[in-house]
Amino acid sequence: MFSGAQVSLYPMTSNFVPVILDAVKALDPHREQLRIETDDLSTLLVGPPEILFKAMHDLFVTAARSGEHVVLHVTVSRGCPGEPDAEICRPSVVLGERKPTSERISSAQAVIDSTAESNQHVSAQFSYYPLGENKEYMTEIYAAIDFIKNSGVFSKSKNFCTKLEGDAAKVFGTLGQVFLNFAPEQAHVTLDITVSANSPSTKK
Amino acid sequence: MFSGAQVSLYPMTSNFVPVILDAVKALDPHREQLRIETDDLSTLLVGPPEILFKAMHDLFVTAARSGEHVVLHVTVSRGCPGEPDAEICRPSVVLGERKPTSERISSAQAVIDSTAESNQHVSAQFSYYPLGENKEYMTEIYAAIDFIKNSGVFSKSKNFCTKLEGDAAKVFGTLGQVFLNFAPEQAHVTLDITVSANSPSTKK
């Protein structure tokens, strides 16, 4: 399974360059497990799903701790038929036989419950795209929404996406579980994710 | 057909609020043809596809003319089965019978060629998701890529997305043609789009 992400970080400050460069240092502990390429629009991370989500969390939380309004946009993808299978992408967990939806939801929830908080509040929204899944693809979307609604970080349904709110570790953890658990191992799945911190719109 | 977009504008400046508020005024001429709702993460535009892309272009070009590094992220969707059909979304062109791929490509190209430039250079990248299209969905993706490669704004293929570069009017026009022309009228299609201007990474 090929898995990776195109990641862009947007600090709403005239000092955006140092905020980005500081945040990128948070990727250092993960560099051995990732292939990283940057251009003017985004940074490509290629590696196992659990490392992708941990790396994105660490990058974003470091940027958010600058106190500036920061937004992260990510396109995460696995199983794209146009990409070669890659050794670097192998997940540490064996996915194995696909379990019934209820079991997948409870094991995903157990992972979220055991995740330590990072004490950084975030808002997020995401769209989930299980591709090439014929007419059943909406079933997978609804199963993922069922999981999300009970995950503790659900905020509201919006047109074309679902809004989350809560601790950064729980939000990224929940998105990581959606990415892995709601389509077969060989499926082509992408998530379009936006995460925001310190927005003046949310300050009362 | 229900069609709409979740739009977010990110000015990389400490004065991001006035840059956003000025840019939002560029939506005024389109307000009668759109339903608009805003929260802390994005602004929903609901309306016919050709107005959506014109409105996004006008919003972004106005922000880019501030001279600041600005990025627009958009999720555009049509035909989502979870959304009701809406009168406000009816396209001004009748899509009619689906034509062969080569005809769809040349009529899309004719629209781009007749579009006046806006004299604002942009970089962009997008992912195209034709959903529920069974195993044929990659065929539609490859047809869209064929069109893009000859559209005059193709920059390069990236993992999970395609990069565009050129005049803003041509780039938004090309994305609008991809949105309408490469899946049946009743299909569920989404585009994940990022557009950037004035990035210090592109200044030599």
Side-chain angles (χ1 to χ4, degrees), chain A residues 39-40 75 158 163 192, chain B residues 39-40 75 132 158 163 192:
Chain A
D39 71 12
D40 61 304
T75 299
K158 294 176 63 169
K163 187 173 178 185
D192 176 14
Chain B
D39 72 11
D40 60 305
T75 299
K158 294 176 63 170
K163 187 174 177 183
D192 175 15

Side-chain angles (χ1 to χ4, degrees), chain B residues 15-192:
Chain B
N15 288 322
F16 65 95
V17 175
V19 173
I20 293 173
L21 295 179
D22 274 358
V24 166
K25 287 180 198 151
L27 295 179
D28 287 347
H30 307 295
R31 279 184 191 273
E32 281 194 10
Q33 291 173 278
L34 296 171
R35 177 160 69 81
I36 303 181
E37 288 168 23
T38 296
D39 72 11
D40 60 305
L41 286 169
S42 58
T43 291
L44 173 71
L45 308 178
V46 174
E50 66 276 19
I51 303 296
L52 294 177
F53 281 87
K54 184 77 176 71
M56 294 188 289
H57 167 273
D58 293 355
L59 177 78
F60 184 70
V61 167
T62 304
R65 292 205 169 126
S66 69
E68 303 289 354
H69 174 27
V70 288
V71 171
L72 181 80
H73 177 262
V74 188
T75 299
V76 206
S77 172
R78 68 174 171 96
C80 179
E83 312 278 358
D85 207 10
E87 181 67 30
I88 199 176
C89 300
R90 191 160 296 169
S92 60
V93 289
V94 177
L95 295 177
E97 279 294 294
R98 197 173 180 209
K99 300 200 176 103
T101 306
S102 60
E103 281 186 48
R104 285 184 281 144
I105 289 179
S106 42
S107 66
Q109 189 60 50
V111 174
I112 306 308
D113 292 341
S114 66
T115 302
E117 300 209 344
S118 56
N119 297 314
Q120 174 63 53
H121 187 83
V122 301
S123 295
Q125 66 190 27
F126 77 101
S127 306
Y128 168 62
Y129 303 120
L131 294 155
E133 277 286 284
N134 62 59
K135 301 301 175 201
E136 300 307 306
Y137 78 104
M138 287 302 289
T139 312
E140 287 295 327
I141 291 181
Y142 292 131
I145 290 173
D146 272 354
F147 160 61
I148 287 285
K149 285 200 169 161
N150 295 297
S151 66
V153 294
F154 175 75
S155 167
K156 64 174 180 171
S157 297
K158 294 176 63 170
N159 294 82
F160 322 132
C161 58
T162 301
K163 187 174 177 183
L164 308 180
E165 198 158 358
D167 186 82
K170 303 286 186 186
V171 168
F172 279 93
T174 299
L175 292 167
Q177 293 302 312
V178 170
F179 185 63
L180 271 182
N181 288 306
F182 295 94
E185 183 175 355
Q186 71 283 6
H188 180 191
V189 176
T190 74
L191 290 183
D192 175 15

Side-chain angles (χ1 to χ4, degrees), chain A residues 95-107:
Chain A
L95 295 177
E97 280 293 294
R98 198 174 178 209
K99 300 201 176 103
T101 307
S102 60
E103 280 185 51
R104 285 185 280 145
I105 289 179
S106 42
S107 67

